[in-house]
Amino acid sequence: MENPIDFLDSLDRDMSMKILMCLDDLSDLVRVSCVSPSWRHHVIENGLCKQLCLRMFPQLSKVDHVVEPSCRLKEPAEGESENFVKGQSSESENRVYTFLARGCTSFPVRGLIFEPIYASSTDNYPEESIHNTLEPSDRVARRASYWSSKGHSNPAVPETLIYKLVGDLCVISEINIQPFKAYFQWGLPIYSARAVRFRMGHAKSPIDDPMGEASNDSTDDKFVWTYTSQEFPMAQENRLQKFKLPEPVMCIGGILKIELLGRIQKQEMDGLYYICVSHVQIVGRSLSPTFGVDILEPSGKFVLKVNSYTKPSECEDSSANPSVSLRRSVADLGQIINILRGNVFDGPEYEWGEEDDSDDEFLP
């Protein structure tokens, strides 16, 4: 073809941006960059990959600047320092956001809970602690496994569970919760909440030890919440209920709070309302340790860091939490010791089906 016309050169910048901003797939932007050096320059100079990431995840608007794993900036030539450094910075941002957009859609989907760190109340600690919610089964070592709130005469009183995630940067698509059915109580009551809501954010200071049982201090003083979901109704059913977010959300800081809103079931023996949960799953993609963040307080902005440009392999994805296996082993050991000592099992009795012996897979 003779005398080809580059339409980007024929249009003003605003019109070119309107056209290219219609691209909502990273692969399309990469193809545009490969058309010609001028098109690549247009994509980088106008930060189109960054704009795509911002449309996908508005939480990234808090990024102050990006950092790559090694210094790739070259020394500017004499007389071109300002433009040269600006160009190098644009190249760096383009690399970081291109890799981030790819990671948000291609890194392995997995379970994201690292450990529970807080429950607003616990009825019998540690037997009914939040740590039991990591178990996929509501029966471990022939004992009931669940978290229970304290009882309350007011059914409107909410409860809160807070979890630390496997990384500081995670893309969360759904949270799954299974209310507990008290199979050892008459009528088999199910202690679900009326509704549930989720918040995501970061801790104001490093969390060395889980907070465990509730204290008099407000958790809002310890965390900054940067995302709040809508309310989702919860069914009073003994099944793993999936609460899928309208769009995947980037959790910056690795903390997720579950707000259990309203109580439904009253316990017959004391006439108080309780909420009980047997299992919690948080599902999505962990961008750590490939990516990291440094929170800049008190501004709330953060530094987005690329620690490596290597995609994590599938074999690195393990949905099994080591702490779950450890607690299960301890529970089994305790059961064996009780048997050797001749102690009679004093927990609620129930029929032990074959399905109780199987290990549930984390993802369907």
Side-chain angles (χ1 to χ4, degrees):
M1 180 183 296
E2 296 182 0
N3 299 323
I5 298 177
D6 189 336
F7 81 89
L8 286 183
D9 293 335
S10 303
L11 301 174
D12 59 49
R13 180 183 179 277
D14 290 341
M15 183 58 68
S16 300
M17 283 292 292
K18 286 182 179 179
I19 294 173
L20 294 179
M21 288 287 284
C22 292
L23 301 177
D24 57 2
D25 190 295
L26 176 65
S27 300
D28 293 332
L29 279 179
V30 172
R31 294 186 185 101
V32 167
S33 300
C34 296
V35 170
S36 68
S38 64
W39 281 41
R40 181 176 184 275
H41 176 76
H42 190 86
V43 169
I44 294 175
E45 182 183 31
N46 294 290
L48 294 183
C49 286
K50 178 180 179 179
Q51 296 302 319
L52 173 61
C53 287
L54 286 172
R55 294 199 300 274
M56 293 168 61
F57 304 103
Q59 299 79 28
L60 291 172
S61 62
K62 293 289 187 178
V63 172
D64 184 77
H65 62 276
V66 302
V67 174
E68 292 191 271
S70 61
C71 182
R72 298 188 178 211
L73 299 181
K74 300 178 181 178
E75 291 296 327
E78 186 177 354
E80 60 177 6
S81 58
E82 184 176 349
N83 290 336
F84 187 88
V85 171
K86 182 180 179 181
Q88 289 284 289
S89 177
S90 298
E91 289 268 6
S92 177
E93 274 202 346
N94 182 70
R95 283 192 296 268
V96 170
Y97 283 105
T98 299
F99 190 49
L100 179 66
R102 183 179 294 114
C104 290
T105 57
S106 66
F107 281 18
V109 175
R110 54 169 296 181
L112 296 177
I113 295 178
F114 179 71
E115 63 178 345
I117 56 177
Y118 176 83
S120 53
S121 74
T122 301
D123 192 34
N124 295 300
Y125 186 86
E127 289 81 6
E128 298 174 340
S129 81
I130 185 177
H131 289 83
N132 293 334
T133 63
L134 299 186
E135 287 286 352
S137 174
D138 61 1
R139 303 167 190 178
V140 176
R142 291 186 174 272
R143 291 181 180 271
S145 175
Y146 62 97
W147 162 81
S148 174
S149 71
K150 290 185 179 295
H152 209 287
S153 58
N154 182 3
V157 173
E159 293 288 346
T160 294
L161 304 176
I162 300 181
Y163 296 86
K164 182 178 180 180
L165 306 183
V166 294
D168 290 336
L169 206 61
C170 296
V171 175
I172 299 175
S173 54
E174 66 182 53
I175 298 96
N176 306 325
I177 304 173
Q178 181 167 346
F180 178 68
K181 179 171 71 173
Y183 52 84
F184 46 82
Q185 293 183 357
W186 185 86
L188 305 178
I190 300 174
Y191 292 94
S192 67
R194 174 185 58 80
V196 64
R197 182 171 59 210
F198 310 108
R199 298 184 190 270
M200 304 178 199
H202 62 270
K204 291 183 178 179
S205 59
I207 301 175
D208 296 326
D209 297 309
M211 287 175 273
E213 212 175 1
S215 63
N216 294 328
D217 298 333
S218 171
T219 57
D220 291 333
D221 296 334
K222 298 179 174 65
F223 302 99
V224 175
W225 306 113
T226 56
Y227 170 83
T228 302
S229 77
Q230 67 193 70
E231 288 189 18
F232 297 88
M234 176 178 282
Q236 192 177 11
E237 300 175 5
N238 179 35
R239 60 178 175 83
L240 190 63
Q241 301 180 35
K242 295 189 176 184
F243 302 98
K244 192 173 183 64
L245 301 176
E247 297 290 342
V249 176
M250 184 168 292
C251 179
I252 300 166
I255 302 294
L256 185 139
K257 175 164 74 169
I258 298 175
E259 296 178 327
L260 300 162
L261 308 173
R263 303 161 187 245
I264 296 177
Q265 184 64 49
K266 182 185 291 187
Q267 183 172 253
E268 184 178 2
M269 68 177 62
D270 60 9
L272 299 178
Y273 291 92
Y274 290 81
I275 300 177
C276 301
V277 172
S278 62
H279 187 42
V280 171
Q281 295 177 351
I282 301 172
V283 182
R285 306 178 195 270
S286 173
L287 304 179
S288 301
T290 304
F291 289 89
V293 297
D294 286 335
I295 307 295
L296 304 176
E297 295 291 3
S299 68
K301 293 188 175 183
F302 66 97
V303 179
L304 176 61
K305 303 185 298 182
V306 180
N307 298 318
S308 169
Y309 276 109
T310 302
K311 177 183 175 181
S313 62
E314 295 288 343
C315 62
E316 293 175 358
D317 172 29
S318 174
S319 59
N321 191 314
S323 62
V324 174
S325 301
L326 177 60
R327 282 197 309 279
R328 184 178 297 169
S329 299
V330 171
D332 290 342
L333 180 59
Q335 184 73 9
I336 293 173
I337 292 174
N338 282 332
I339 293 174
L340 293 176
R341 288 176 175 175
N343 295 337
V344 179
F345 173 61
D346 57 1
E349 295 183 358
Y350 58 90
E351 293 297 326
W352 188 269
E354 294 181 359
E355 67 275 10
D356 295 318
D357 290 326
S358 63
D359 290 329
D360 297 337
E361 292 293 331
F362 184 82
L363 297 174

